[in-house]
Each structure stands twice: as C-alpha cells, then as structure tokens.
Amino acid sequence: MTLPQFTLVIGGAGSGKSTYAERLLTDTARPLLYIATGQAYDAEMAAKIASHRDRRGAQWRTIEAPLDLPAALSQAKPGEAVLLDCATLWLTNQLFSDNDLSAEEDALLAALVACPAPVVVVTNEVGAGIVPENALARRFRTAQGALNQRLAAQANSVIAVMAGLPLVLK
C-alpha cells in the first residue's frame, strides 16, 4: 500500500480514529514509529496510554513527545511509517505550558513537510458540540479548530472517522 506523505485522521473522542490510523500504517509493511503526545497526569490517562500501547504491540518504535514534535519527527527514518497521536493532546500541552501557539504550530507544520517518512496525524474534531462555558475551554476549542484547519490544508489526505468507519474528505 502506498501512503500519502501526510494523512490527517480526524474524529470525535472514542470514534475509533486511533485504531483506524494504526491499521492504515500496519498495512504498509514498513517499520513503524509511534510519536506519543499524551501524558499520564492521572490514573485514567495512564490506563488509556497503557491500552493504546498494548493494542499496538512491540512492532512499534515509540517516541514520547508531549511538546517537541519537530524533534520527534526529525528522528523518523525514510523507510518508516509514522503515527503522531495526537495533535489534540499536543495542543493541550502547549496551552498548559503557555507556549506561543502560532510559533509552535508553524514549527510543527514545517516538520511535517520535512519529515522523511509518511506521517499519519490523529486529531480530535471538537467543534461539533456546544459552546463551552469557561474561557479556557473556549480558547482550546478555537485553537483546536484553527490547528485542524491548518493541518487539513497541508495534508495530502484527510479522513474523518465516526463509529470506526472512515469517510475520505480529501
């Protein structure tokens, strides 16, 4: 299977987007690199990370990169296939670190272009719900929507996942 250089997989929480993205890459017969952005701040998140790790198995090389995705992407080898899971947690980490979102997004987009291996990026669609009641949640929703639009504009392929089913958008 030939992968586009950059594929964006987008969907709601629990939609099956990570599982779908993993399947996209395991079908390539390439060595696999998983770039993880999640951090285990509590037992629930630790369990989710462990579940993802167990589902992937030992065939994946993993780089933990909660903030510095350009450095992680630069470690990809040309023959590999890369899964970055996920842009939403990365953005959350950037917000909580009070980093310059515009500069961080610019660096991420440049790193995706420069990556020597095909990359699948997983992200959450957060704009389909109600308007959040607090300022931080509204700031996050706006920032995530803007990041998703920038990623989708740059991606060669965009796939929405709902109920585990893919819908090709681009």
Side-chain angles (χ1 to χ4, degrees):
M1 172 183 172
T2 303
L3 277 174
Q5 184 59 30
F6 173 26
T7 300
L8 182 66
V9 176
I10 187 168
S15 64
K17 63 193 173 297
S18 291
T19 302
Y20 177 79
E22 290 167 11
R23 259 195 335 263
L24 271 179
L25 296 181
T26 55
D27 289 346
T28 66
R30 291 171 170 255
L32 303 168
L33 171 60
Y34 185 91
I35 299 176
T37 61
Q39 298 181 85
Y41 289 119
D42 60 26
E44 180 182 354
M45 190 60 177
K48 183 174 183 172
I49 289 169
S51 171
H52 277 235
R53 187 178 300 122
D54 291 345
R55 183 179 67 223
R56 287 191 313 272
Q59 66 184 353
W60 293 80
R61 179 171 72 97
T62 301
I63 297 174
E64 303 281 338
L67 290 167
D68 195 356
L69 289 178
L73 287 164
S74 73
Q75 294 179 50
K77 298 176 179 113
E80 289 182 311
V82 179
L83 175 56
L84 190 164
D85 196 358
C86 78
T88 306
L89 290 175
W90 172 81
L91 180 67
T92 300
N93 297 336
Q94 297 295 335
L95 278 168
F96 286 151
S97 296
D98 204 26
N99 291 336
D100 178 342
L101 295 183
S102 180
E104 295 295 338
E105 288 176 16
D106 288 347
L108 170 58
L109 291 166
L112 287 166
V113 168
C115 187
V119 181
V120 174
V121 175
V122 173
T123 192
N124 283 48
E125 172 54 58
V126 297
I130 61 171
V131 175
E133 67 179 57
N134 69 73
L136 178 59
R138 287 189 301 274
R139 180 176 176 224
F140 167 75
R141 184 199 57 182
T142 299
Q144 185 66 60
L147 174 61
N148 287 346
Q149 289 177 51
R150 290 186 75 189
L151 289 168
Q154 187 167 310
N156 304 101
S157 174
V158 179
I159 302 164
V161 178
M162 289 186 277
L165 301 173
L167 174 64
V168 177
L169 302 177
K170 176 180 174 183

